Amino acid sequence: MPMSDREIHDTPTSAPHDGPSRRGVVLGLLATTGSAVGLCATSGCSKKKEPEEHPEVRAGSEPKPGAKLLPIDKIPAEGTIIQEAGIVVLGNPHDGFRAFSAYCTHQGCMLSDISSDALNCPCHGSRFDLTTGEPLSGPARKPLPRVKVRVAGEHVVIE
Ligand code: FES
């Protein structure tokens, strides 16, 4: 049964960097361990956005089926990295939305930006295909895990 907004917002929160591997376990999406992510967090390779930018997903909360990621009208044409959720959302209302884990499959750093042709990891330069999540260059060999999303009302939500 999908979580309501209230359930998502009432989920106990913890520090934003309390362990992407925890999210990975819950989401069942990540193939890497959190050790490299911790290294990234301390080396400043991932720019952290303030949770208020995406109020539907709170830092430390773990999106569950039905959890709202963003209002459709807040998703820019080039896509967006929702750091609080560890998810990249791409696409548009006409062609549909797709999403991937925002954690690099090399050593788990948070992807930093979306360029015209790739999702980019700041740690060792891996680049991932915008459509498939397949690695294009850099040390990553595995594709970004796909996150199933759908449109529900005015929001993109976890399926
Ligand atoms: S962690 Fe992304 S390229 Fe190494």
Side-chain angles (χ1 to χ4, degrees), residues 13 29 56-57 60-62 72 81 83 90 92-93 115 117 129 135 138 145 148:
T13 59
L29 299 171
E56 293 79 9
V57 179
S61 67
E62 287 141 7
I72 292 169
I81 299 170
Q83 293 191 350
L90 304 161
N92 59 65
S115 60
D117 62 345
D129 185 273
K148 291 183 178 178

Side-chain angles (χ1 to χ4, degrees), residues 89-99 149 151 156:
V89 178
L90 304 161
N92 59 65
H94 305 293
D95 300 325
F97 291 98
R98 62 193 179 284
V149 294
V151 173
V156 173

Side-chain angles (χ1 to χ4, degrees), residues 46-143:
S46 173
K47 182 180 170 222
K48 188 76 182 155
K49 291 183 179 176
E50 294 301 317
E52 289 72 27
E53 290 185 45
H54 303 293
E56 293 79 9
V57 179
R58 298 288 184 210
S61 67
E62 287 141 7
K64 298 194 168 116
K68 292 178 181 177
L69 291 174
L70 277 180
I72 292 169
D73 62 0
K74 296 269 170 106
I75 299 174
E78 69 274 15
T80 187
I81 299 170
I82 306 173
Q83 293 191 350
E84 296 84 356
I87 294 173
V88 180
V89 178
L90 304 161
N92 59 65
H94 305 293
D95 300 325
F97 291 98
R98 62 193 179 284
F100 301 99
S101 167
Y103 296 105
C104 180
T105 57
H106 176 228
Q107 291 183 350
C109 287
M110 176 75 72
L111 302 178
S112 61
D113 69 275
I114 304 169
S115 60
S116 63
D117 62 345
L119 297 162
N120 303 300
C121 178
C123 292
H124 312 101
S126 285
R127 301 173 69 248
F128 298 89
D129 185 273
L130 293 169
T131 302
T132 65
E134 291 289 329
L136 298 172
S137 61
R141 295 288 176 256
K142 296 179 181 175

